[in-house]
Amino acid sequence: MSRIIMLVPLDENVSLTTISLSLLYFFNKEEQKNYFKSFSYFPLIKSDNINFIRKCFSKKINILDDINFSKKIFNSYKYSSLVNKIIKECFNREKMNELILIKGINKEEHCDADQINFDIAQNIDAEVILIENLKELSLEYFRKKEEKIHFFLQQKKYKNFLGVIFNEINSPFIKMKYNFIDKLTILKNIKQSTCIDEIKKKFSFNSFFTVIAFIPWNKNLLQSSVINIFKFLNANLINTISIKNTFIKNITIFDEDCSIILKKNYTNTLVLVALSRMEIFFKTLRLLLKPKEIGAILLTGVLKINKNSIELLKFLINQGIPIFFTKQNTIEILSQLQKFNFNINIQNKVFIKNLLEYISSFFNKNSLISEKNKTTIDYKKTYSPKNFCYRLKKLSKRKSKRIILPESYEIRILKSAEICHRLGIAECILLGDPKKIYNIANQNGIFLNKNIEIINPFLIRDKYISRLLEIRKNKNIDEVFAKKQLKDNVVLATLILESGEVDGLVSGTVHTTANTIRPALQIIKTNSIYSLVSSIFFMLLPNEVLIYGDCAINIEPNAEELAEIAIQSADSAKIFGIEPRIAMLSYSTGFSGSGWQVEKVRDATSIVKRKRPDLIIDGPIQYDAAISKEVAKLKTPYSSILGSANVFIFPDLNSGNITYKAVQRSTDLICIGPMLQGLKKPVNDLSRGASVEDIVYTIALTSIQSL
């Protein structure tokens, strides 16, 4: 099974790319190779380093490089499309024993970075590692960072928080707007003092989060090679001989005052020379005792090099000094250099290996690879809304079932049928006059593929009369009454389903719940293993999917019926990959209250435990104790669900219907259902206010329900 880790930066100055590559390097080491067979790397902002990363890791890593959230508006259509793409990629690799590393976004890259990172992490069920810096190596400063992290986690309640990596410890560049020349000066003069033993000594205490790594800033890992600088500037090389990989420690602009120039030390120096001053520079250079010590020369403002200039350059070329030229003037070059990245030398593989080795050496192996994190261990699975919806479509596509839609003159139904056909979610069968259906579709810009089957009810009704009479013979209906009933397309569609010509039925956009369910109860009837039909709603909360039952069918179920609703709901949850943890809801937890309503729930819980000892269930229990671990510790410390219920069984329709509508409307969440359970064949009801998206998901549910 794949493992998904997402890196979430809390600041701009954390060297996120370096940390990302170091983690890949760490997991790809020989001693960790047995954990993962393959690796994937998904940066959320498109990077120029992608090609180098491919070279560095050879074919061992798959990179999703067409994802770019930098200009996408949060919650826009394009944004949702990218999130869905990541979910799809992660879903497709679910059983590959693969490490998927997601590189998050910082606030400098997107103003909604925190929310985007949270949204993606929740939707892909990622293990989250926060990345933060430490400007000062002191306990007081660490406490400030700890408070910041605590506040952040209160705002963004990540459901799978792995720990924190502190990088750039004691870096002089954190939150300081040094220019290129200042940075070179610091790198040249600063002394390296931070050591890992000092860090461990200062921070040998317990915190509310796991520290995965303390990584000291190391000036030796911030290099500015000649090659990198000139590739960054997109300058042109004059001398074609092999370029020495000199590291630049100084930068200077050529000045015509020779007395000043002669006093300067040009060792490892990048000299900017305007082409107009080249002859003066050449004469001055001859006065230098050691011209070979010059790091490199960049000629600025070069539109064309004349023969005289070429002759002057021959001397420098013979000295082996790297010489480049650019059309840009000196001021433009200095401005461009302010964006030069000192943190990673993307051309030098040896340097990269040393860098990744250095960073990964600080990782706490027990925090990253422990018994609970091994890919052979099954996780307690929860699904985010987008993840769950994607899985519905995927599971439905695998089933490829025939779902009949009797309300085929409704625009939303036609749009949904078109989407389901295009995405392969299900084979939708439209019931209605083909000419009328195509007219409605054309008038509303809906393209109905010719492969979408349309059944004309006027041509087939009579052949179902005898079957309807047989099914309802106990009601003593006659042929006239049967013909009248068959004029209702929902009744006709239900008979088509009963005959086995289709696999499921979805209705309700223009019919009441009773009009959809009554024919199903009369014609399809209840599954032999059940005594009733009930319903569930899938409540798509931001962090997980909860199941509410029964909020649509049974008004006042007794203990036996309530137990059956719980069993049906648990079995339905398993169909959709949700491991049920059932809460039998009441206004009382355990034995804190009494009354016939509480006793009914207590009896129902006992019946479920007796009939299905394999199910995790608790009741009677209040909603807060069922969903909150903190409340559960106080009210029911020995509960089998321990505040982590995901299937909630309400004691009656009154409480269930009120609750689901209150939660749905107050939080503006997606609510899929009601999904009927207990019938021999799947029939599902739609709300008359259902959106096209709701209908598509209900069609998918119905397809998955069918055998």
Side-chain angles (χ1 to χ4, degrees):
M1 186 169 181
S2 292
R3 183 179 176 193
I4 306 172
I5 295 177
M6 181 168 176
L7 301 180
V8 175
L10 296 183
D11 213 318
E12 291 90 351
N13 309 100
V14 295
S15 299
L16 186 59
T17 299
T18 304
I19 296 294
S20 302
L21 298 183
S22 298
L23 271 172
L24 288 173
Y25 180 81
F26 171 82
F27 281 110
N28 194 43
K29 277 186 176 179
E30 204 63 43
E31 59 266 31
Q32 273 85 246
K33 278 187 177 179
N34 60 315
Y35 285 93
F36 303 106
K37 292 181 179 178
S38 56
F39 300 87
S40 284
Y41 177 59
F42 298 167
L44 301 185
I45 299 291
K46 199 159 188 176
S47 171
D48 295 331
N49 296 334
I50 293 298
N51 289 333
F52 176 75
I53 294 169
R54 282 198 173 98
K55 289 179 183 178
C56 197
F57 287 92
S58 188
K59 296 179 180 179
K60 300 172 186 175
I61 182 169
N62 170 62
I63 300 177
L64 186 65
D65 57 356
D66 55 350
I67 293 290
N68 192 1
F69 284 87
S70 60
K71 296 181 181 179
K72 300 298 181 287
I73 300 171
F74 180 65
N75 267 346
S76 65
Y77 171 75
K78 289 183 178 179
Y79 169 82
S80 296
S81 296
L82 285 182
V83 175
N84 290 337
K85 185 167 187 175
I86 292 177
I87 293 172
K88 179 181 178 180
E89 290 292 335
C90 292
F91 184 89
N92 289 341
R93 290 170 168 74
E94 190 174 46
K95 297 179 180 179
M96 292 185 179
N97 193 27
E98 182 172 24
L99 172 68
I100 302 172
L101 184 67
I102 313 289
K103 177 189 169 188
I105 310 172
N106 65 46
K107 291 179 182 177
E108 194 175 53
E109 295 170 318
H110 201 294
C111 59
D112 291 317
D114 287 348
Q115 190 57 47
I116 292 173
N117 288 331
F118 179 76
D119 189 34
I120 292 170
Q122 301 301 78
N123 276 298
I124 59 177
D125 299 316
E127 298 174 69
V128 171
I129 298 176
L130 301 181
I131 316 294
E132 182 58 292
N133 58 47
L134 276 179
K135 184 180 179 182
E136 300 173 16
L137 187 61
S138 68
L139 189 58
E140 180 183 357
Y141 192 75
F142 179 81
R143 290 301 187 197
K144 289 180 181 178
K145 290 289 186 179
E146 190 179 45
E147 288 177 12
K148 175 184 175 181
I149 294 168
H150 186 261
F151 180 73
F152 178 80
L153 290 174
Q154 282 182 320
Q155 289 183 311
K156 308 295 180 188
K157 297 185 183 298
Y158 285 102
K159 59 185 176 184
N160 203 351
F161 173 48
L162 197 60
V164 182
I165 291 176
F166 288 99
N167 193 26
E168 302 288 350
I169 298 176
N170 275 2
S171 170
F173 297 145
I174 293 177
K175 294 185 179 177
M176 296 295 288
K177 301 299 179 183
Y178 293 112
N179 62 34
F180 180 78
I181 298 174
D182 289 338
K183 285 187 176 182
L184 286 175
T185 304
I186 290 171
L187 289 173
K188 180 182 177 183
N189 298 323
I190 198 168
K191 293 182 179 180
Q192 184 76 22
S193 61
T194 305
C195 68
I196 189 62
D197 292 333
E198 185 181 354
I199 295 171
K200 288 180 178 179
K201 185 177 179 181
K202 282 181 178 290
F203 300 116
S204 58
F205 55 83
N206 293 323
S207 187
F208 69 92
F209 55 80
T210 299
V211 176
I212 294 172
F214 283 112
I215 306 169
W217 178 78
N218 188 337
K219 77 166 189 174
N220 297 322
L221 296 176
L222 287 100
Q223 304 283 13
S224 49
S225 72
V226 170
I227 293 175
N228 277 354
I229 290 175
F230 288 109
K231 281 187 177 290
F232 172 78
L233 293 173
N234 197 26
N236 297 290
L237 174 66
I238 290 179
N239 46 330
T240 57
I241 60 173
S242 177
I243 300 299
K244 57 183 179 180
N245 196 19
T246 306
F247 290 100
I248 299 301
K249 296 181 180 179
N250 298 293
I251 184 172
T252 188
I253 301 170
F254 174 70
D255 194 305
E256 293 184 18
D257 189 337
C258 296
S259 62
I260 296 175
I261 294 172
L262 291 173
K263 293 178 183 179
K264 289 184 178 180
N265 182 358
Y266 279 81
T267 304
N268 295 109
T269 298
L270 167 63
V271 185
L272 304 185
V273 183
L275 184 64
S276 59
R277 296 181 178 181
M278 182 164 170
E279 289 189 29
I280 300 172
F281 173 72
F282 177 77
K283 291 176 183 178
T284 305
L285 192 62
R286 282 186 173 276
L287 298 175
L288 294 175
L289 297 177
K290 298 180 180 179
K292 290 184 179 181
E293 292 184 358
I294 292 178
I297 296 170
L298 174 61
L299 300 176
T300 62
V302 178
L303 298 176
K304 185 178 180 181
I305 300 179
N306 56 41
K307 291 183 179 179
N308 188 45
S309 298
I310 292 173
E311 288 299 320
L312 295 174
L313 289 170
K314 283 183 178 179
F315 169 76
L316 301 177
I317 292 172
N318 291 333
Q319 299 296 316
I321 300 172
I323 306 171
F324 295 77
F325 69 91
T326 176
K327 293 179 181 180
Q328 294 177 294
N329 61 41
T330 302
I331 300 300
E332 289 172 331
I333 288 296
L334 288 173
S335 176
Q336 191 175 342
L337 281 172
Q338 306 316 310
K339 299 177 181 178
F340 179 76
N341 182 8
F342 282 81
N343 293 325
I344 190 163
N345 180 342
I346 64 171
Q347 302 302 324
N348 191 324
K349 283 191 176 183
V350 175
F351 172 79
I352 282 288
K353 184 179 179 182
N354 292 338
L355 172 65
L356 302 186
E357 185 67 47
Y358 172 80
I359 298 294
S360 63
S361 68
F362 293 98
F363 292 153
N364 184 336
K365 184 175 180 179
N366 292 331
S367 299
L368 291 173
I369 301 179
S370 60
E371 287 301 317
K372 67 177 182 179
N373 288 329
K374 283 185 179 178
T375 54
T376 53
I377 302 297
D378 290 329
Y379 289 86
K380 180 181 73 177
K381 199 67 179 174
T382 59
Y383 296 121
S384 64
K386 285 184 175 163
N387 196 329
F388 180 74
C389 290
Y390 178 79
R391 285 168 184 274
L392 286 186
K393 293 177 182 177
K394 196 77 175 178
L395 291 171
S396 178
K397 191 173 181 178
R398 288 176 185 171
K399 290 253 184 177
S400 188
K401 296 294 185 177
R402 290 165 56 83
I403 308 301
I404 193 164
L405 308 172
E407 299 167 321
S408 297
Y409 303 140
E410 167 59 43
I411 296 170
R412 291 168 294 168
I413 291 291
L414 297 182
K415 286 181 178 178
S416 302
E418 186 276 324
I419 292 170
C420 287
H421 177 82
R422 176 163 42 86
L423 298 180
I425 290 171
E427 186 180 340
C428 293
I429 313 300
L430 300 175
L431 186 60
D433 180 358
K435 187 175 180 180
K436 187 175 180 180
I437 288 172
Y438 280 121
N439 283 338
I440 295 171
N442 292 334
Q443 289 169 11
N444 291 276
I446 304 168
F447 174 73
L448 288 180
N449 191 289
K450 291 182 179 180
N451 292 326
I452 295 176
E453 185 178 351
I454 301 176
I455 298 176
N456 192 332
F458 300 101
L459 303 179
I460 64 166
R461 280 175 182 151
D462 288 350
K463 80 173 189 176
Y464 291 98
I465 294 173
S466 59
R467 181 56 182 159
L468 181 59
L469 289 171
E470 181 183 348
I471 292 171
R472 306 218 62 203
K473 60 186 176 184
N474 293 336
K475 298 298 180 180
N476 295 319
I477 66 170
D478 57 20
E479 189 172 328
V480 175
F481 184 80
K483 284 184 178 181
K484 184 178 179 181
Q485 276 204 307
L486 283 167
K487 288 181 180 179
D488 183 340
N489 275 1
V490 177
V491 175
L492 178 58
T494 307
L495 276 163
I496 294 173
L497 172 62
E498 191 272 340
S499 70
E501 296 173 53
V502 295
D503 302 299
L505 182 153
V506 173
S507 177
T509 57
V510 294
H511 291 86
T512 64
T513 297
N515 286 342
T516 298
I517 296 175
R518 190 185 301 113
L521 293 173
Q522 293 172 346
I523 297 169
I524 302 299
K525 299 183 179 178
T526 308
N527 192 313
S528 58
I529 64 172
Y530 296 125
S531 63
L532 55 76
V533 173
S534 65
S535 72
I536 56 173
F537 284 90
F538 293 91
M539 312 296 289
L540 275 55
L541 273 65
N543 292 346
E544 60 182 329
V545 177
L546 303 180
I547 292 174
Y548 284 5
D550 172 7
C551 306
I553 305 296
N554 296 283
I555 298 174
E556 188 66 65
N558 58 35
E560 285 281 352
E561 291 169 334
L562 200 60
E564 191 163 309
I565 292 169
I567 292 171
Q568 288 180 351
S569 302
D571 289 340
S572 293
K574 288 182 178 181
I575 292 173
F576 297 95
I578 298 173
E579 191 60 37
R581 299 183 299 281
I582 310 163
M584 304 294 284
L585 296 175
S586 171
Y587 61 77
S588 169
T589 295
F591 292 91
S592 64
S594 60
W596 67 268
Q597 297 101 324
V598 179
E599 293 305 318
K600 179 180 79 169
V601 175
R602 182 172 288 114
D603 291 345
T605 306
S606 298
I607 294 169
V608 174
K609 288 180 177 179
R610 186 178 71 252
K611 287 185 174 182
R612 292 288 298 276
D614 60 303
L615 295 176
I616 300 171
I617 186 170
D618 195 8
I621 190 169
Q622 291 165 286
Y623 195 99
D624 57 350
I627 203 165
S628 168
K629 292 181 181 179
E630 289 74 18
V631 176
K633 288 177 183 177
L634 296 173
K635 291 187 175 182
T636 175
Y638 303 107
S639 170
S640 57
I641 56 177
L642 295 173
S644 61
N646 54 15
V647 177
F648 297 83
I649 306 301
F650 291 88
D652 52 55
L653 183 61
N654 192 43
S655 60
N657 194 271
I658 290 171
T659 302
Y660 110 76
K661 286 187 180 293
V663 172
Q664 179 190 26
R665 298 301 177 184
S666 299
T667 58
D668 194 30
L669 55 79
I670 298 173
C671 176
I672 302 176
M675 187 188 90
L676 302 186
Q677 46 193 19
L679 288 166
K680 288 180 180 178
K681 296 187 177 184
V683 174
N684 282 311
D685 179 42
L686 295 165
S687 165
R688 276 168 284 179
S691 67
V692 171
E693 188 177 35
D694 294 334
I695 298 168
V696 170
Y697 289 139
T698 303
I699 291 171
L701 283 175
T702 309
S703 177
I704 296 166
Q705 272 186 292
S706 62
L707 299 175

